[in-house]
Amino acid sequence: MADTPLDAQKLRRVADTIRFLAVDAVQKANSGHPGMPMGCADLAVTLWARHLRFDPDDANWRGRDRFVLSNGHGSMLQYALLNLFTSHMPMDQIRDFRQLHSTTPGHPERGETEGVEVTTGPLGQGIANSVGLALGAKMGSARFGGGEFDPAGYRVFCIVGDGCLMEGISYEAVSLAGHWKLDNLCVFYDDNEISIDGSTDLTFSEDVPARFAAAGWEVVDVDGHDYQAVEQAIERFEQSDRPTLIVTHTKIGYGAPTLEGTAKTHGAALGEKEIAAMREKFGWEYAPFEVPGDVTEFCAEIIQAKKELRADWDKSYVAWKNAREDNGLSFDVFHQRRLPDGLYDTLIKMAPTKVSATRAHGAEVIQQVAREVPALVGGAADLAGSTKTTIKNSPHISAEDFSGQNMHFGIREHAMAAICNGLAAAGGWFPFASTFLVFADYMRPSIRLAAIMKTPTIFVFTHDSFQVGEDGPTHEPIEHLESLRAIPGLRVLRPADGIETAAAWFAALHYDGPTALILTRQDIPAFDRDKEFHSTDLLRGAQVVQSGLNEQATLVATGSEVPVACEAAKILAEKGINVRVVSMLCRRQFQNRPKDDQDRTIPPSLPMVSIEAGVPGAWGTLAKSGWLHVGIDHFGASAPAEDLIKEFGFDPAAVADKIEAWLSERD
């Protein structure tokens, strides 16, 4: 540990073991990236052996520091560290690197490998997640710290490469970290000057340290293979009042006799000849996947020290817990993400009933949610006034005060989403991120990763159709609803009124994965529901709003198109054409219902009309006896919303005419 003398020789032996585990695993798989683990082994061993707080037997220990490998292609570095310092990674999994059903996938995956905090691979995501993880600790400390013991006071250590810092998301996240002065965040920059195509000189000549310094970071420059220098850099971070970037100059493929420092070590096995020569160069007389006895002994000492650290923390936690009076939120309840009993009934009872936009309904609902769920936190990408997501009577997060529930992200949609994913991965929080639906395009990589990781991030999107109006095609989402629905595991909910908005928020809070709430800018007319309606029907994903005798078709609509469908149904009824109207709050949730439940809602014997202000996409999968989509498959226009409704045929009369003509053609 850091309070013991640094033994560079022993650390070097562990680092060399990591190098050979990496090259042997990649060689056996004939797939992977050995160069980065070979180059970063020295700095990583110094961090893990001497500074990183973790429990070798409990990857989810609350008091642990968080470690993130942003340049996740170097995953064998993390797997080797887990093998040497924890019980989570047996050697047979190292041997099965990148093989089916192993816990050593090509890139680190949260939920697949114990000890992996977030899924990385898409470059830049890890550092942005790390900002969220660090922010979660600062916010937790503001709620639970303040004394000699801080149960939420973990630190975040992240390794990034050149590729991470070339991606734009990294700068968005770095800027916010500096603005918030996240002094619990330490980033190691693996400055090996190599990317896939060769030297980074081809494309990357900026002054990275100056960039971070300008963003308010502490910057330290060291030789990444000098243990004492790395040690001193980490100690400097531990004393800093700002986030710290440690620029570690390394050699990619360190130790490879002929390939060290070249792009050839980046993404391919070294080859048997090169590995044999490397063994000879190092005097490494061990078989592939063999850990030297002295390394095992040294790691055992480290493991014991980590266990003692955990035991000390547990004692302090018990004493802190016994002495503390909870102010409405206990640390245990917080980490369990426990929601109050009766929350659904509470939200349904307060659900807005007046005619308004669903973003306005959402503004009322979120106030109630924030009162009931103190761990609800989030904000907007400089659009809080438009998305109406500001939580009243709560401060905004700042470098001086982390106690609030509101966050200003600035115009940084991509980092906002990734930071909220980090908050969700930190545990305890119910994070949300909001912006206009059309800007989901900026956030899509982070939304996709939220679905892969199954993090319960809530994405609030407003201004959800061409009825945005005068702002024109650039701000009018057409393909976005179906595009989001195409992401496996992401729930997309588009409510039609206040009660559906309340139900949507409840569903999002209860889901163990990400949710997209889709809300309108424009007011939505009121509509009547059948007398048999029960509020619990909303949680099924779809509900029959209106029904009748001798129905000839089912109209399935979402959001602002539900009252349009209801009015069109009345017009059709006057012509002797009876239809039922279904409000589809969440198609994925509905399609996960039992088949007989689906058939009672959308009878397979009836032709189906989907009505939504967007491209048709996969709506036809619900239809069993013919399908018509009333939507829009072209970009919008700049004009008042009421003019666009008529222009694009979304007034009830035009919709009724389309349906009548279609049904006539079928006859």
Side-chain angles (χ1 to χ4, degrees), residues 532-611:
E532 294 77 13
F533 166 75
H534 297 285
S535 62
T536 53
D537 291 345
L538 297 168
L539 299 179
R540 296 168 55 246
Q543 55 166 310
V544 178
V545 173
Q546 295 178 7
S547 59
L549 300 174
N550 302 316
E551 295 167 340
Q552 298 179 45
T554 301
L555 312 187
V556 181
T558 72
S560 55
E561 284 70 74
V562 172
V564 174
C566 291
E567 289 301 311
K570 292 179 182 178
I571 296 172
L572 291 169
E574 293 173 356
K575 299 181 179 182
I577 303 172
N578 293 328
V579 299
R580 75 166 46 193
V581 178
V582 172
S583 176
M584 185 70 68
L585 177 61
C586 178
R587 194 171 73 200
R588 173 163 280 135
Q589 194 170 348
F590 174 72
Q591 289 181 301
N592 286 334
R593 301 288 300 174
K595 183 178 182 300
D596 59 343
D597 187 10
Q598 295 184 46
D599 290 346
R600 282 194 296 270
T601 306
I602 303 176
S605 60
L606 296 179
M608 191 194 91
V609 180
S610 53
I611 307 172

Side-chain angles (χ1 to χ4, degrees), residues 238-439:
E238 293 171 339
Q239 300 301 316
S240 179
D241 60 355
R242 298 178 290 168
T244 297
L245 176 73
I246 301 177
V247 181
T248 53
H249 300 281
T250 65
K251 289 287 188 181
I252 191 170
Y254 183 89
T258 66
L259 299 179
E260 178 184 291
T262 71
K264 292 181 179 180
T265 68
H266 176 90
L270 300 187
E272 296 289 358
K273 183 178 179 180
E274 185 78 4
I275 295 174
M278 182 176 165
R279 276 185 156 80
E280 182 177 352
K281 175 181 177 180
F282 279 72
W284 199 257
E285 300 176 351
Y286 306 98
F289 305 105
E290 181 180 354
V291 177
D294 62 312
V295 171
T296 299
E297 291 177 6
F298 176 67
C299 290
E301 294 174 7
I302 300 300
I303 289 170
Q304 182 58 35
K306 303 292 184 184
K307 290 181 178 181
E308 292 172 2
L309 187 151
R310 163 69 189 267
D312 290 343
W313 189 94
D314 285 348
K315 290 178 183 177
S316 298
Y317 176 68
V318 171
W320 170 84
K321 184 178 178 180
N322 291 338
R324 182 177 187 269
E325 293 184 8
D326 291 329
N327 57 353
L329 181 65
S330 77
F331 197 61
D332 290 336
V333 170
F334 168 74
H335 266 278
Q336 293 165 5
R337 298 184 79 251
R338 194 186 309 164
L339 294 168
D341 295 336
L343 178 61
Y344 186 67
D345 290 339
T346 299
L347 295 181
I348 293 301
K349 287 178 183 177
M350 62 73 54
T353 57
K354 62 181 179 295
V355 174
S356 190
T358 50
R359 65 167 176 164
H361 295 323
E364 294 187 42
V365 174
I366 200 173
Q367 306 310 319
Q368 186 68 39
V369 172
R371 287 190 290 270
E372 300 285 337
V373 185
L376 179 76
V377 294
D382 200 49
L383 289 170
S386 294
T387 61
K388 298 187 181 298
T389 48
T390 299
I391 296 170
K392 298 177 181 178
N393 303 317
S394 179
H396 288 85
I397 295 299
S398 69
E400 292 74 33
D401 183 3
F402 289 95
S403 66
Q405 293 175 272
N406 295 298
M407 287 180 277
H408 285 300
F409 289 101
I411 307 165
R412 303 181 181 94
E413 286 88 355
H414 199 172
M416 172 178 69
I419 288 170
C420 284
N421 286 347
L423 275 170
W429 305 107
F430 293 84
F432 67 88
S434 68
T435 187
F436 294 171
L437 177 56
V438 76
F439 299 141

